[in-house]
Amino acid sequence: MSDATTSIAELRDAWAQFVTERDWQQFHSPKNLVMALACEAAELMEHFLWIDNDASRQVVQDPVVREQVADELADVTGVVLALCNALGLDLSACVRHKMAKNVHKYPVEKSRGRYRVPE
Amino acid sequence: MSDATTSIAELRDAWAQFVTERDWQQFHSPKNLVMALACEAAELMEHFLWIDNDASRQVVQDPVVREQVADELADVTGVVLALCNALGLDLSACVRHKMAKNVHKYPVEKSRGRYRVPE
Amino acid sequence: MSDATTSIAELRDAWAQFVTERDWQQFHSPKNLVMALACEAAELMEHFLWIDNDASRQVVQDPVVREQVADELADVTGVVLALCNALGLDLSACVRHKMAKNVHKYPVEKSRGRYRVPE
Amino acid sequence: MSDATTSIAELRDAWAQFVTERDWQQFHSPKNLVMALACEAAELMEHFLWIDNDASRQVVQDPVVREQVADELADVTGVVLALCNALGLDLSACVRHKMAKNVHKYPVEKSRGRYRVPE
């Protein structure tokens, strides 16, 4: 089983079962879940806090750090899936819809090799 | 096309193509990407900032808010997928591995209807 | 000693000494510090993650939670002060300057009892 | 007026007046305010998103970026002050109390030139 053979629905269903078994839907308001998402993102960020970009590419080669990072990424993903479940949103549809907007917003010729700065 | 018929790899590949076409891999260090993830999570959070949990469940019924939230959720997901691509991590494997840990960490009988507080 | 008798410069100087004694200025780039700020803000957020607004007002009456929250707030403040030190910004000037903008942006008659939603 | 001559209480009082004039205390539950803090921290972070640590030190020399960063830092500070007001916490006491803990947690001889990594 891998990303090539796992549908998004399978992961969503696995999380829905985990949540339902613990009767945690009552806590899964959109407000609570987006807070949880920001908290999990911050825990992921902690692993790269005081180092340079180059060092951040190196440190993930360490097996211990790699598993910590993988776990935090899974936690983030779990909240994303819980949000889809709580909101009744199809994640693949959201991603495709937004990507179409992004293709328009960041045309290749104007965006190549350039990053966006806040206004 | 929906979550039931879309593999995680398909979404990963779509994002990889979007990034490669714009030559943005150079910016996709783990450090930069986790910062981007936290920024996108915060943008999602803004939509639920000053309201109660109950109101957060209501407001997502509004079609305009619903699309904004869906777009922000897609942005978060895009960064998660970009992180998997940059790190060479299989997301479904990460999620299954972490979920097994969570099942052990939060046994049903002790966790039902109870949330975790920080230590 | 209290907020009434403590100048901002006193707190800045105390942090500067703490940082210098540990030779931590080398880590205090603006990028690293803003990441640290987001991480500390998330740790503060964790204490209010799964509860309602009303409960969040109650829980801070508990002496144990109150000290945890006070400590997290101090951590956030420490990073703010470290940022001022690293950037050479006068915090009181920043706050007064921005407040003047906010007074103009949120006129009393239009803002009373209303919160801002993201565009 | 500067950090040397401005007490923390003066800035707190200025924010309290701003909030009271707009009748915004009703929104200032601890939960809402910590969310707002995380959102403001993320807006600050956006300015340093895709660049290296060295570049982050350079970019703040640009007057336009410098004012944007100063404004975001003021927004973060405003929420910190609003939290102190809402919680009835003395910020200088919180900072001194936590700094004493930090001095103990990070002894100079063991901490010099070394940063902490997440466990």
Side-chain angles (χ1 to χ4, degrees):
Chain A
M1 293 193 300
S2 71
D3 285 354
T5 58
T6 301
S7 73
I8 295 171
E10 286 174 73
L11 290 190
R12 285 182 63 159
D13 292 348
W15 269 101
Q17 185 186 337
F18 180 85
V19 169
T20 303
E21 284 174 354
R22 283 153 190 79
D23 195 19
W24 282 356
Q25 306 98 307
Q26 62 187 303
F27 306 122
H28 283 199
S29 71
K31 183 180 177 98
N32 281 352
L33 286 173
V34 296
M35 284 180 77
L37 183 62
C39 289
E40 298 294 355
E43 290 187 20
L44 183 51
M45 203 158 49
E46 276 186 41
H47 292 273
F48 306 100
L49 194 45
W50 301 113
I51 60 177
D52 280 317
N53 280 313
D54 284 345
S56 79
R57 289 186 178 94
Q58 296 305 315
V59 80
V60 290
Q61 308 303 326
D62 177 274
V64 174
V65 175
R66 195 168 182 80
E67 176 160 350
Q68 291 171 330
V69 168
D71 278 0
E72 305 285 14
L73 196 54
D75 283 341
V76 168
T77 304
V79 184
V80 168
L81 299 172
L83 264 166
C84 292
N85 288 335
L87 296 172
L89 285 171
D90 187 275
L91 185 58
S92 69
C94 295
V95 169
R96 288 191 178 98
H97 186 248
K98 186 53 164 52
M99 194 175 291
K101 288 189 186 180
N102 282 352
V103 166
H104 186 258
K105 188 176 177 186
Y106 301 107
V108 168
E109 63 276 17
K110 287 192 180 175
S111 306
R112 192 178 287 127
R114 304 186 59 189
Y115 57 83
R116 185 180 65 92
V117 295
E119 290 135 30
Chain B
M1 293 193 298
S2 71
D3 285 353
T5 58
T6 302
S7 74
I8 295 171
E10 286 174 74
L11 291 190
R12 285 181 64 158
D13 292 347
W15 268 100
Q17 185 185 337
F18 180 85
V19 169
T20 303
E21 284 174 354
R22 282 155 190 79
D23 194 19
W24 282 356
Q25 305 99 309
Q26 62 187 304
F27 306 122
H28 284 198
S29 71
K31 184 180 177 96
N32 281 352
L33 286 173
V34 297
M35 282 181 78
L37 182 62
C39 289
E40 297 295 354
E43 289 187 22
L44 183 51
M45 204 159 47
E46 275 186 42
H47 292 273
F48 305 101
L49 193 45
W50 300 113
I51 59 178
D52 281 316
N53 280 313
D54 284 346
S56 79
R57 289 186 178 94
Q58 296 306 314
V59 80
V60 290
Q61 307 304 325
D62 178 274
V64 174
V65 174
R66 195 169 182 81
E67 176 160 351
Q68 290 172 328
V69 167
D71 278 358
E72 306 285 14
L73 195 55
D75 283 340
V76 168
T77 304
V79 184
V80 168
L81 299 171
L83 265 166
C84 292
N85 288 336
L87 296 171
L89 285 171
D90 187 275
L91 185 59
S92 69
C94 295
V95 169
R96 288 191 178 98
H97 186 248
K98 186 53 164 55
M99 195 175 290
K101 288 188 185 179
N102 282 352
V103 165
H104 186 259
K105 187 177 176 186
Y106 302 107
V108 168
E109 62 277 15
K110 287 191 179 174
S111 306
R112 192 178 287 127
R114 303 185 59 190
Y115 57 86
R116 184 181 66 91
V117 294
E119 288 134 31
Chain C
M1 291 194 299
S2 71
D3 285 352
T5 58
T6 302
S7 73
I8 295 172
E10 286 174 74
L11 290 190
R12 285 182 63 158
D13 291 347
W15 270 100
Q17 185 185 339
F18 180 85
V19 169
T20 303
E21 284 174 353
R22 283 154 190 79
D23 194 19
W24 282 356
Q25 307 98 308
Q26 61 187 304
F27 306 122
H28 284 199
S29 70
K31 183 179 177 96
N32 281 352
L33 286 173
V34 296
M35 282 181 79
L37 182 62
C39 288
E40 298 295 355
E43 289 188 21
L44 183 50
M45 203 160 48
E46 276 186 41
H47 291 274
F48 305 101
L49 193 46
W50 301 113
I51 59 178
D52 281 316
N53 280 314
D54 284 346
S56 80
R57 289 186 178 95
Q58 296 307 314
V59 80
V60 290
Q61 307 304 327
D62 177 274
V64 175
V65 174
R66 195 169 182 79
E67 176 161 350
Q68 291 172 330
V69 167
D71 278 359
E72 305 285 14
L73 196 55
D75 283 339
V76 168
T77 304
V79 184
V80 168
L81 299 171
L83 265 166
C84 292
N85 288 337
L87 297 171
L89 286 171
D90 187 275
L91 186 58
S92 70
C94 295
V95 169
R96 288 191 178 96
H97 187 248
K98 185 53 163 54
M99 195 174 289
K101 288 188 185 179
N102 283 351
V103 165
H104 185 258
K105 187 176 177 185
Y106 302 106
V108 167
E109 62 278 16
K110 287 191 179 174
S111 306
R112 191 178 287 126
R114 304 186 59 189
Y115 57 84
R116 183 181 66 93
V117 294
E119 288 134 32
Chain D
M1 291 192 300
S2 72
D3 285 353
T5 58
T6 302
S7 73
I8 296 171
E10 286 174 74
L11 290 191
R12 285 182 63 159
D13 292 347
W15 270 100
Q17 184 185 338
F18 180 85
V19 168
T20 303
E21 284 174 353
R22 283 153 190 80
D23 194 19
W24 282 357
Q25 307 98 307
Q26 61 187 306
F27 306 122
H28 283 199
S29 70
K31 184 180 177 97
N32 281 352
L33 286 172
V34 296
M35 284 180 77
L37 182 62
C39 288
E40 298 294 355
E43 289 187 22
L44 183 51
M45 204 160 47
E46 276 186 41
H47 292 273
F48 306 101
L49 194 46
W50 301 114
I51 59 178
D52 280 317
N53 280 314
D54 284 345
S56 80
R57 289 186 178 94
Q58 297 306 315
V59 79
V60 291
Q61 307 304 325
D62 178 273
V64 174
V65 174
R66 196 169 182 80
E67 175 160 351
Q68 291 172 329
V69 167
D71 278 359
E72 306 284 14
L73 196 54
D75 284 339
V76 168
T77 304
V79 183
V80 168
L81 299 171
L83 265 166
C84 291
N85 288 337
L87 297 172
L89 286 171
D90 187 273
L91 185 58
S92 70
C94 295
V95 169
R96 288 191 178 98
H97 186 248
K98 185 53 164 53
M99 195 175 289
K101 289 188 185 179
N102 283 352
V103 166
H104 186 259
K105 188 177 177 185
Y106 301 107
V108 168
E109 62 276 16
K110 287 192 179 174
S111 306
R112 192 177 287 125
R114 304 185 59 190
Y115 57 84
R116 184 180 66 92
V117 294
E119 291 133 29

